Amino acid sequence: MTIGVKMTAEMAADKSTTALQADGLQEEEKREESLHWTRAASHPPLAPEELHLWRIRADRRGADLSRCLPCLGARQRDRAERMRHAGYRERYIRAQAGLRRILAGYVDAAPERIAFCYGPAGKPYLEAGDLGLAFNLSTTGDLALVGVRLGLSPERELGVDCEWIRPRIDIFGVAERMLAPETVEALRRTPEPEQLDRFYRAWTALEADAKCDGRGLFRPRAPEAPRPMVRNCIPEDGYVAALASPTLPHRAAWRAFDLD
């Protein structure tokens, strides 16, 4: 999503989960957040305690569009047809087709047969009757990231945000509008070469939190909604991501796969 939108008063009251936990970015932290990606020979089984992450190439290194288009539903095809920018359209098609292929492997269905319903802010869910899966998709730059876990209860909801780290004119202007005061203060104390990376870590944490229960950035958290745990990871060099869930599995239970 575009960074730099104005925060409402309700959002400001609910942004404390994005606080930076330490000043400076340590190499040990980076190593812990890096993921080991594998190509699965077949669709991997998903255990209740696991979290599966899938990396999709959304640029021309990814799947051929002729393979992707038949996987889309009517809603995705209509949106793709309305996109005038060819690069954006191709990335959208590959990401949406990739999501459908991933979910299809878990529910044993054809990708084009996957049926979604949508929350008030547009978060997709599988229709009732399918295997209980919590999932979320994020697309940025040439990369898309999908998180999947078992379960449909509020405690197992999942939010994923991934951002391509690129220079911004005024990260503090955005941070002061969108992030918690303690996060902004920690960002200012961070050595300048590390500030951009830290900013994107805080931003992805904010987005993943908002995507977890599907409320979006501009709606307050429901009083009964559980507050999620949030953890960053590095999908590949030049990108940072965050995952949010009230019962986020331990890092050792994460499995990371590249989609063919």
Side-chain angles (χ1 to χ4, degrees):
M1 129 168 225
T2 302
I3 298 175
V5 290
K6 187 174 180 62
M7 172 171 272
T8 66
E10 289 176 324
M11 290 169 58
D14 193 41
K15 59 185 179 177
S16 60
T17 59
T18 65
L20 298 176
Q21 297 179 349
D23 296 337
L25 189 60
Q26 304 299 320
E27 288 302 317
E28 182 179 354
E29 180 183 15
K30 283 189 174 183
R31 287 194 299 270
E32 290 178 353
E33 292 177 351
S34 296
L35 300 171
H36 176 65
W37 297 91
T38 61
R39 290 190 179 275
S42 59
H43 212 83
L46 178 59
E49 70 277 6
E50 287 183 334
L51 169 67
H52 285 189
L53 287 172
W54 290 85
R55 187 168 60 178
I56 303 169
R57 296 293 171 191
D59 62 356
R60 294 184 179 181
R61 294 175 296 170
D64 191 272
L65 292 180
S66 62
R67 179 186 180 189
C68 294
L69 283 168
C71 296
L72 300 184
R75 179 174 175 143
Q76 286 77 37
R77 287 197 199 95
D78 290 344
R79 182 173 177 183
E81 289 173 359
R82 293 195 301 270
M83 292 182 173
R84 295 186 178 183
H85 189 284
Y88 294 159
R89 181 171 61 252
E90 291 178 4
R91 287 169 173 79
Y92 173 80
I93 290 170
R94 290 189 179 98
Q96 292 295 324
L99 172 64
R100 285 174 167 272
R101 290 173 56 205
I102 291 165
L103 296 177
Y106 292 110
V107 302
D108 193 24
E112 65 274 14
R113 302 288 293 178
I114 296 292
F116 294 122
C117 52
Y118 296 88
K123 182 176 181 178
Y125 298 88
L126 290 179
E127 286 192 344
D130 288 317
L131 176 68
L133 290 177
F135 65 92
N136 206 218
L137 164 71
S138 181
T139 306
T140 181
D142 295 334
L143 191 67
L145 193 66
V146 176
V148 185
R149 66 179 307 200
L150 287 174
L152 292 176
S153 67
E155 290 74 20
R156 299 185 71 84
E157 284 281 15
L158 184 62
V160 178
D161 189 59
C162 183
E163 295 289 344
W164 172 33
I165 300 174
R166 55 198 186 277
R168 300 196 58 81
I169 295 175
D170 183 13
I171 62 172
F172 288 103
V174 176
E176 287 171 355
R177 291 194 299 273
M178 301 298 295
L179 304 178
E182 60 268 30
T183 303
V184 179
E185 180 59 30
L187 185 61
R188 291 191 183 280
R189 294 196 304 268
T190 300
E192 186 173 353
E194 300 173 6
Q195 286 178 348
L196 188 66
D197 190 284
R198 276 294 182 183
F199 167 79
Y200 276 106
R201 287 167 183 272
W203 180 266
T204 54
L206 175 70
E207 285 254 34
D209 182 341
K211 292 175 70 179
C212 180
D213 59 13
R215 71 184 186 276
L217 277 176
F218 298 102
R219 290 179 173 87
R221 191 192 311 277
E224 70 279 6
R227 188 175 294 274
M229 303 163 58
V230 183
R231 184 163 183 177
N232 287 110
C233 65
I234 301 173
E236 69 177 41
D237 288 345
Y239 292 82
V240 67
L243 285 80
S245 178
T247 56
L248 190 66
H250 190 274
R251 176 66 181 80
W254 297 14
R255 301 177 65 194
F257 304 98
D258 272 313
L259 184 66
D260 290 329

